[in-house]
Amino acid sequence: MTTFVLCLLQVTSLAAARQDHYYAYPTVEDANGVIAPWYTGLNGQFDYRVRIAAETLKRYPWAMPPKSPLAAPEYVFNGTWQISPEGDITVPDLRDWDNGDLGQRAAYVFSSWVDYYRYSGDPAAFAHVSLMAGHLLGYCQTGPDHPWPNFLVSVPSKGKPYGQCNPAGMIQLDIVAETGLALLRAYQMTGNETWFAACKHWGDLLAAHRNDTPGMPLWNRYANPEDALWDDQMTGGVAFLLTFFDELIRLGYTGEGDNIIKARDAGRVWLRDELLPRWTVDDTWGRNYWDWPDDVQAENVTEFVARYLIEHPDVFPNWRNDARNIMSLFFNRTGVSPTSGGDVYSGAWAHPESSGCCGRSLWYGPMEIAAVLAQYGVVADSAWAREVARREQILATYDAHETGVVEDNLDGGAIVAGSWFKITHPMPLKHVLGSIAWQPELFGANRENHIVRSSAVVNSVVYGRGRIAYSTFDAPAETVDVLRLSFRPTVVRADDAPLDLCAALKGNGYTIQDMSQGDCIVSVRHDGNRRIVAEGPDPQDSRPAAELALEGAWTPLENTSRVASAQGAAVEHRFTGNQVRLIGRVGPDGGLADVYLDGVKQRVPVDCWNPGPKAEQVLYYRNGLPEGEHTLRAVVRGAGNAVSKGANVVIDEMQWSAAGGDAGSGAGGGPVDTQRFLCGYPERTDYVDSQGNAWRPCTEWVCRAGDLVDVVRQTWWTQRRRLDVANTSDPELYRYGIHAPEFWVNVTVAPGTYHVRLKFMETYDRLHPRKVPKTGDNPLLLDGTTVLINGEECVKDMDVEKTAGGLNRAVDLVFNGIRPKNGIIEVRFRNCVGMAAVQAIEVGPGDGGEGITPVSVRVPLPEK
C-alpha cells in the first residue's frame, strides 16, 4: 500500500506588508488600509517636508577662511554632516574620497533652490546658489593646460576638500552634465552670465569629445579614465548629457558649427537604437553613482531617462511603454536584497537606491521615482502612475522631524541620512517639490498661494495679498505655469494685457480647476510674454510695516516699509490664523534677525543678505499652525553674515490667514481598469491578444534573489519557450514566464471587487527536476506551485501538467470576489521543493468567469 501526502511549505504567509511605524512616525492608514499622511497641518505633509529641508539649509553652519577659500555654508565644501536629536548641526572632518559627491551635491543644491524660489518667494535661493557657484567655478575646475581645460572636476576624490580640486580626482561626464544643467537653471534665475559661459564651455568640450565610431558608445564615463578605479563605461547616463545639451540649445547656444546639436542628435540615436532595445539589461540604466562601478539599474539614471522620454515624444514614439517599463522594472530590481526588503508597505512601494545598497534605507529612491512617476501620470493620463506616485511620496515623507533630523531607515533611525547631507535635505527638497508640481491638487499647500510648476525658470516672484506677480527668464512656445491659489483669480495678465479664461490651453490664456475648499489650480500659457500677474479676492490678510508694533530704531523707507540695523530693534504682530509670512527686502548690505513664534525662538533666522537687491520677498514663513491667536516677533541682531556689507533688516509687511480647508491626499485612488501582465516578456511594446487586450511586461513583483543579483537573468524566461501551445488562441501569453522558489506580484488597485486570472503552461525544459525514479506506479514529481492571494491560500502544490491535461498545454485559473488588502492585490507563488512559475496574470474588476480546478502534486511515501 502507498500513502500520498501533499508537499507542505513551512513559511509564514505575508500579504500587503505593513508596519506600525515607518521611518520617523507611527503608521497612519486611510479607510482602505493605504498609507496616509502622518502630518495633519493644513499646509499638508509635502509642504511641511519642503519647509524643513529649506530651513535646514538656511541655518547650516558656515565655513570661513582659512579653513575654506571663501565664506559659505559648510555644505558647499563638505557633504558629510551630523545632527543632534535637538537639531544642532556639526560638520565632521572630510576625507579626500568623501568629497567625490561634490558634483551631485551641487546639482541638487542648484536645482532645489531654483524650484524652491518659484514655489516660496524666499530670496535665500539667490544667496545659496551664488555661494555654491562661487566655490564650484572658482576652485573645482581643471587648469587651462588640461586635456579638458577649465572643465568641472565633478568627482574630486583626491586633493584637499576645502581647497583647489585635484584634477586627478575622477571627472565623470554624466555628473558634469547633471551639474551643468542645474547651473543653467540657476543662471536663468539669477542672470549671472559667468555661469552661462562656463556651461557653454563644458557643453563644447562634451560635444567635441564624442566618439563617432559606429557601434561604440559616444562617450566614456570619465574624461580621465586613467584615474578611475573601475571600468570606463557610460550607458543610460547619456540622458544627463542630452538634457544638458537640450537646455543649452533652448537658450540659443548650439556650439561652433552646431556641434552641440550634432552631439545631442547622435546621443538621441544612441539612446533610441542601442540602449532602449536593451532595457532589461541591468547596467543599461546604471553606471552613474560616483563611488562604485554601479553596474546595476539605479534610481537617478532611471529618473533622467524616463523624464527624457516623456518630454520628447516626437523623438521616442514608444515613450509611454518605454518610460513605464523602465520605471516599474526598477521595483523588480530593487526587491532582490533580503537585507533591504524592498516591497510594498501599506500599499506604497519602498525600495533602496539599487539592488546593492543601502540596507533598510528605503526612502530617497522612492522620493526620486515618485516625482517622475507623477509627471508620467499626468502626461500619459495614467491612473496607475498617479496612484503609485502618490503613495510612494506619502510614505517617503514620513522621514523628517521639525528639528531637521531625518530617519531614513524604514524601521526607524538613520542610515544614510545620518552622514550624507546631500541625500538628507537638498535631494528631498528637489523631489518633493517635483511631486507637488505634478500633483498640486493632492499635495499643494492648502489655502496658500504658490507657483507649483513652470516650464520656464521663474526669476522674480512677489506673493502679495490677492496679487501674485512673477516673471520668467524666457517664454518660448508652449510656456505653461501651474499655480495653486487660495482664491479664484478675477484677472490674469501677461505683459500687462489680460488673458482669456479658456477651456483648454491651445494658445495663450488660462484655465481654472476649482477645488472644494476654495482653492483652485490655475494653468497659465504665456508664449512670448514674461511678466504674469494674477489677481483676485484672497482670503489672507496683511498689514504694512508702518502699522506693526515696532521697537527700537526703525527708519521709514518708501512710504510704509521700515529698516533697522541696530541690535535689539524688533517688529511684532499678533494675528489669528494658521499661517504667517514676514515680507521684506534683501541686498548686499542685508543683516540678520532672530525670529520668535509664540515666544519660542525659531531655529532659522531671517537673513537679508543677497548678491543683488530684491523687494517684497518672503523673509520668513510658518504654516500649519493650530487655529487661533499667535504672535510673530523678529529681533535685529545688529550684524550680517560673513559676506554681508551691512546689517540692514528691511520689513515691507506681514501676511497671515485664518482660511480653513481640507488638507486631503487622495485617499481611495488607484486604477480600476483591468491590468494584464505578461511575465518574462522582454519586448518594449505591449502584446495585443486576439481579443484586442494589451499585455505589458510584468515588472511589479518581488523576489529575494540576493544582493546585487540580476533578477531578470535569474528569474525571467525572456526567450519563447514553445512554438506550439495547445488549448489557447493566444499562445504568446504562455511562452514566457517568471520563476523562483518564492515570489509575489503587487498589483496596485482602487477599492472594489476584482478577479484574478493566472495563466500557466508546463514544458519539458523546467529548471527544476521533472523526471525522477518511480515508486511503484507513481512518479515522484517534486514540482508544485502554491498560490496565495492577499495571504489566503488558493492553490496548494499544483501540478501544472495534470491540471492542463498534458505538457505544452495552456491552462487558466480564475479567482473571483477578490478585494484589495492595503490597496493592493498580492499574488504570491511558492514551491516547497523547486521552482514556482507563472506565465501571465490578469487582475480586473468584477467576475472573471470560470477557470480550471487545479490538480495537486502527489508525493508518495515508502510503505511501512
Side-chain angles (χ1 to χ4, degrees):
M1 176 179 177
T2 302
T3 303
F4 296 91
V5 298
L6 298 179
C7 282
L8 299 177
L9 192 65
Q10 301 299 322
V11 181
T12 301
S13 297
L14 297 174
R18 72 172 307 279
Q19 298 182 177
D20 293 333
H21 186 282
Y22 293 119
Y23 306 113
Y25 296 97
T27 302
V28 179
E29 294 176 339
D30 65 20
N32 305 299
V34 174
I35 194 70
W38 67 268
Y39 177 80
T40 58
L42 183 64
N43 55 311
Q45 186 167 302
F46 284 23
D47 182 85
Y48 168 88
R49 185 60 177 94
V50 165
R51 179 178 64 81
I52 298 302
E55 287 189 351
T56 307
L57 283 155
K58 289 167 66 173
R59 66 183 180 86
Y60 216 83
W62 280 42
M64 304 290 292
K67 178 181 181 181
S68 58
L70 49 84
E74 281 270 9
Y75 74 73
V76 168
F77 312 101
N78 188 334
T80 65
W81 83 321
Q82 293 174 350
I83 185 168
S84 72
E86 296 74 30
D88 297 321
I89 299 170
T90 55
V91 181
D93 292 336
L94 184 68
R95 300 176 302 170
D96 289 355
W97 173 258
D98 291 341
N99 197 38
D101 85 325
L102 175 67
Q104 287 184 336
R105 185 169 77 247
Y108 278 118
V109 166
F110 291 142
S111 57
S112 62
W113 276 121
V114 170
D115 290 344
Y116 177 71
Y117 177 68
R118 176 204 68 221
Y119 177 81
S120 68
D122 185 341
F126 290 84
H128 284 252
V129 300
S130 297
L131 295 167
M132 188 84 223
H135 171 60
L136 205 70
L137 299 185
Y139 300 93
C140 304
Q141 297 189 95
T142 61
D145 297 329
H146 193 274
W148 293 63
N150 302 313
F151 195 66
L152 178 66
V153 184
S154 56
V155 184
S157 53
K158 295 181 180 180
K160 294 189 179 301
Y162 284 83
Q164 187 72 40
C165 289
N166 185 339
M170 294 180 287
I171 305 175
Q172 190 169 324
L173 301 186
D174 50 359
I175 294 179
V176 172
E178 181 181 12
T179 310
L181 172 66
L183 185 57
L184 280 177
R185 300 190 71 242
Y187 150 68
Q188 293 170 71
M189 185 181 76
T190 65
N192 191 314
E193 293 290 341
T194 300
W195 305 352
F196 188 28
C199 290
K200 290 189 287 187
H201 176 66
W202 298 350
D204 284 336
L205 288 175
L206 286 168
H209 282 82
R210 74 180 184 276
N211 181 4
D212 288 328
T213 304
M216 294 292 291
L218 293 170
W219 288 276
N220 295 323
R221 188 173 176 182
Y222 303 97
N224 56 337
E226 66 278 4
D227 293 314
L229 304 180
W230 36 75
D231 290 342
D232 175 33
Q233 299 181 51
M234 181 186 293
T235 54
V238 71
F240 294 91
L241 276 67
L242 299 182
T243 311
F244 179 48
F245 290 150
D246 278 340
E247 192 67 3
L248 285 169
I249 294 166
R250 192 183 74 80
L251 294 172
Y253 186 72
T254 61
E256 184 177 353
D258 289 338
N259 202 28
I260 288 179
I261 294 178
K262 295 174 184 176
R264 188 273 313 269
D265 291 348
R268 286 177 169 181
V269 172
W270 176 259
L271 174 58
R272 185 190 65 212
D273 297 348
E274 298 292 336
L275 296 182
L276 285 174
R278 298 173 52 226
W279 75 276
T280 61
V281 176
D282 207 357
D283 79 338
T284 299
W285 315 121
R287 299 194 179 276
N288 171 259
Y289 293 135
W290 65 269
D291 54 347
W292 62 295
D294 186 25
D295 52 352
V296 299
Q297 185 170 357
E299 104 274 355
N300 43 10
V301 178
T302 300
E303 176 216 351
F304 262 78
V305 170
R307 181 168 290 120
Y308 199 79
L309 301 178
I310 294 166
E311 294 179 352
H312 297 86
D314 54 329
V315 182
F316 303 96
N318 194 50
W319 69 271
R320 291 175 186 270
N321 290 349
D322 286 330
R324 179 202 68 206
N325 292 346
I326 293 167
M327 287 188 289
S328 59
L329 177 62
F330 188 63
F331 299 149
N332 188 210
R333 289 205 179 280
T334 53
V336 297
S337 172
T339 304
S340 296
D343 203 348
V344 168
Y345 293 88
S346 293
W349 281 97
H351 45 77
E353 67 175 31
S354 70
S355 58
C357 181
C358 297
R360 294 284 278 175
S361 181
L362 311 182
W363 151 74
Y364 56 94
M367 275 190 172
E368 185 162 0
I369 298 301
V372 71
L373 270 170
Q375 180 177 0
Y376 179 87
V378 171
V379 179
D381 192 19
S382 167
W384 164 80
R386 290 194 295 268
E387 181 64 7
V388 174
R390 183 188 77 87
R391 298 181 188 181
E392 266 203 313
Q393 201 66 285
I394 289 176
L395 180 57
T397 49
Y398 266 57
D399 65 321
H401 294 273
E402 184 73 36
T403 57
V405 171
V406 169
E407 299 185 40
D408 62 310
N409 185 335
L410 184 72
D411 311 308
I415 301 175
V416 179
S419 56
W420 287 104
F421 181 69
K422 169 197 72 179
I423 289 174
T424 309
H425 286 297
M427 187 177 182
L429 183 58
K430 174 186 176 182
H431 295 313
V432 175
L433 283 169
S435 284
I436 294 173
W438 291 100
Q439 296 183 305
E441 69 285 356
L442 299 179
F443 300 131
N446 295 273
R447 313 307 282 138
E448 299 182 23
N449 301 318
H450 297 278
I451 306 168
V452 297
R453 190 172 84 236
S454 177
S455 55
V457 172
V458 172
N459 57 14
S460 178
V461 59
V462 173
Y463 286 106
R465 180 188 179 190
R467 185 178 186 271
I468 315 303
Y470 65 96
S471 63
T472 57
F473 176 82
D474 58 5
E478 299 186 19
T479 295
V480 175
D481 311 325
V482 179
L483 296 75
R484 176 162 172 163
L485 303 179
S486 61
F487 61 91
R488 198 176 202 273
T490 54
V491 62
V492 177
R493 295 191 297 273
D495 288 354
D496 299 323
L499 293 175
D500 292 332
L501 177 60
C502 310
L505 295 180
K506 298 180 180 179
N508 283 3
Y510 69 100
T511 63
I512 296 179
Q513 174 189 341
D514 291 308
M515 302 179 68
S516 59
Q517 71 269 39
D519 287 2
C520 62
I521 307 296
V522 180
S523 299
V524 184
R525 180 169 174 178
H526 54 100
D527 302 1
N529 304 122
R530 296 177 51 249
R531 294 178 292 109
I532 309 300
V533 175
E535 296 178 322
D538 195 334
Q540 74 175 338
D541 207 344
S542 65
R543 184 168 295 182
E547 299 179 15
L548 300 173
L550 301 172
E551 301 172 16
W554 290 89
T555 302
L557 183 68
E558 295 180 12
N559 299 324
T560 60
S561 299
R562 294 293 183 266
V563 58
S565 59
Q567 183 180 3
V571 57
E572 182 175 294
H573 184 63
R574 181 173 296 177
F575 65 95
T576 299
N578 52 58
Q579 55 181 276
V580 63
R581 287 164 183 77
L582 185 63
I583 308 298
R585 306 185 186 188
V586 295
D589 61 353
L592 297 164
D594 292 316
V595 179
Y596 297 81
L597 181 62
D598 297 334
V600 178
K601 186 177 180 179
Q602 303 298 287
R603 292 180 179 84
V604 61
V606 165
D607 190 344
C608 293
W609 176 77
N610 207 270
K614 296 188 77 67
E616 298 181 88
Q617 301 292 282
V618 177
L619 302 180
Y620 176 84
Y621 74 93
R622 186 62 184 270
N623 49 15
L625 298 172
E627 297 288 348
E629 192 172 86
H630 302 279
T631 301
L632 185 70
R633 178 180 176 85
V635 181
V636 176
R637 287 188 184 178
N641 67 33
V643 296
S644 179
K645 297 178 181 179
N648 288 335
V649 174
V650 180
I651 306 299
D652 291 326
E653 67 176 14
M654 196 173 290
Q655 302 170 353
W656 68 95
S657 176
D662 178 14
S665 61
V672 297
D673 57 330
T674 299
Q675 301 180 65
R676 299 179 177 89
F677 309 96
L678 187 48
C679 301
Y681 183 64
E683 303 301 323
R684 292 166 51 206
T685 55
D686 294 350
Y687 172 72
V688 178
D689 66 20
S690 59
Q691 304 300 311
N693 300 314
W695 297 74
R696 64 178 183 258
C698 186
T699 49
E700 297 161 74
W701 60 281
V702 176
C703 175
R704 303 284 189 240
D707 288 347
L708 290 173
V709 168
D710 184 341
V711 71
V712 173
R713 280 189 169 190
Q714 187 86 358
T715 64
W716 290 37
W717 282 315
T718 58
Q719 301 294 322
R720 289 183 175 91
R721 298 171 59 231
R722 292 291 301 182
L723 292 180
D724 298 319
V725 180
N727 200 35
T728 180
S729 57
D730 286 298
E732 192 75 354
L733 297 180
Y734 301 86
R735 288 176 175 148
Y736 306 91
I738 52 180
H739 60 91
E742 181 175 35
F743 60 91
W744 54 98
V745 181
N746 295 317
V747 184
T748 301
V749 294
T753 303
Y754 296 83
H755 70 269
V756 173
R757 182 184 303 275
L758 306 177
K759 294 180 178 291
F760 300 91
M761 182 184 70
E762 179 62 286
T763 68
Y764 285 111
D765 60 352
R766 294 289 297 267
L767 297 186
H768 59 280
R770 284 288 301 170
K771 294 184 177 181
V772 294
K774 294 182 177 181
T775 301
D777 295 329
N778 301 294
L780 183 62
L781 301 179
L782 298 181
D783 67 329
T785 294
T786 294
V787 179
L788 301 93
I789 299 179
N790 288 343
E792 298 294 326
E793 188 175 273
C794 302
V795 176
K796 183 70 173 179
D797 298 326
M798 178 177 63
D799 185 323
V800 174
E801 177 186 345
K802 290 188 175 181
T803 301
L807 293 170
N808 310 319
R809 291 179 59 84
V811 63
D812 290 8
L813 305 185
V814 179
F815 306 94
N816 292 306
I818 305 298
R819 300 187 68 83
K821 184 175 183 180
N822 297 97
I824 67 165
I825 293 176
E826 182 202 88
V827 187
R828 186 175 291 251
F829 301 84
R830 290 174 175 163
N831 191 305
C832 58
V833 291
M835 294 285 180
V838 67
Q839 273 65 43
I841 301 170
E842 175 185 280
V843 175
D847 192 284
E850 294 185 3
I852 299 297
T853 300
V855 178
S856 295
V857 174
R858 297 186 301 170
V859 180
L861 295 180
E863 292 184 359
K864 293 183 179 180

